[in-house]
Amino acid sequence: ALVLSSPSFSPVLSSWQKLLLRTAARFSPDFTVRNGVAPEALSHDPEVVDEYLADPLVHDRISGRLANFIAQSGPRVLSRAPRWRLPTLLLYGGSDVLVDPAASRAFAQAAPAGLVTAHCLDDMYHEVFNEADAEPVFEILRRWLDQRVPLTAPQRPPPGAGAAPATPSPPRTPPPARSIPSSEAASPGL
């Protein structure tokens, strides 16, 4: 299963950004320019915006190579929606100005029936999980996951049923964390 949050099926690009993509990606793919992301367009929550601005790992640059990849890959995935095979929860902000919400709607409509569960959160911006009132978003996620991954208690024989007591298993340790690119990392407003 897959959860998508405001994917960049269609980044919002100005005319000059489109021109820059056609030239910079070809002649100087590693040259970087300002990405055009307005921090206040990420979330209605001023604290989220302040944290974004204060984060030393956040910058306002994007290379022609990355911008071109985003601009080409989003529409490519959108065009392949009719062949989609993965149960997907698609959450997107209806007031997102960094990626076009209409492209998320188009993806959900083009995917095979019943495979993509889409929720347009009308008044939300790009980072729906980081909005001032994100609880409804987390509730949608919880319900969707509960339908696909039901949590049930392990079945144990009733006391005195004659079964030998089970030896407790050692606690399982999770595998080491690894960095996985998210749709958020691949959806700057350029």
Side-chain angles (χ1 to χ4, degrees):
L2 177 66
V3 176
L4 295 173
S5 172
S6 301
S8 187
F9 293 133
S10 179
V12 177
L13 300 171
S14 67
S15 298
W16 75 267
Q17 288 170 323
K18 291 176 184 176
L19 175 64
L20 187 62
L21 276 179
R22 285 193 296 272
T23 55
R26 188 175 309 135
F27 299 110
S28 185
D30 296 323
F31 180 72
T32 62
V33 296
R34 291 189 51 136
N35 60 23
V37 171
E40 60 276 0
L42 296 171
S43 171
H44 287 89
D45 188 339
E47 190 174 312
V48 168
V49 174
D50 290 344
E51 288 172 3
Y52 175 87
L53 291 169
D55 188 335
L57 299 177
V58 170
H59 57 84
D60 70 346
R61 312 302 287 175
I62 189 166
S63 68
R65 181 187 326 263
L66 177 58
N68 196 46
F69 171 79
I70 293 167
Q72 290 182 1
S73 297
R76 186 176 315 128
V77 171
L78 184 57
S79 73
R80 294 178 181 169
R83 298 189 312 255
W84 201 253
R85 292 197 168 110
L86 195 58
T88 302
L89 174 61
L90 171 57
L91 303 165
Y92 60 99
S95 297
D96 193 341
V97 296
L98 301 178
V99 298
D100 186 358
S104 288
R105 272 190 294 281
F107 177 84
Q109 290 170 349
L115 206 54
V116 174
T117 303
H119 290 272
C120 176
L121 303 145
D122 290 325
D123 297 325
M124 292 190 178
Y125 289 164
H126 186 70
E127 292 193 6
V128 296
F129 286 100
N130 289 317
E131 278 287 11
D133 183 21
E135 186 53 38
V137 183
F138 284 99
E139 183 57 32
I140 292 167
L141 175 61
R142 274 191 286 277
R143 281 194 319 260
W144 190 82
L145 289 172
D146 285 346
Q147 291 172 354
R148 280 148 192 82
V149 187
L151 297 177
T152 58
Q155 299 299 315
R156 297 181 185 192
T167 305
S169 301
R172 294 181 64 176
T173 55
R178 60 187 180 113
S179 177
I180 299 174
S182 70
S183 64
E184 294 297 323
S187 61
L190 306 180

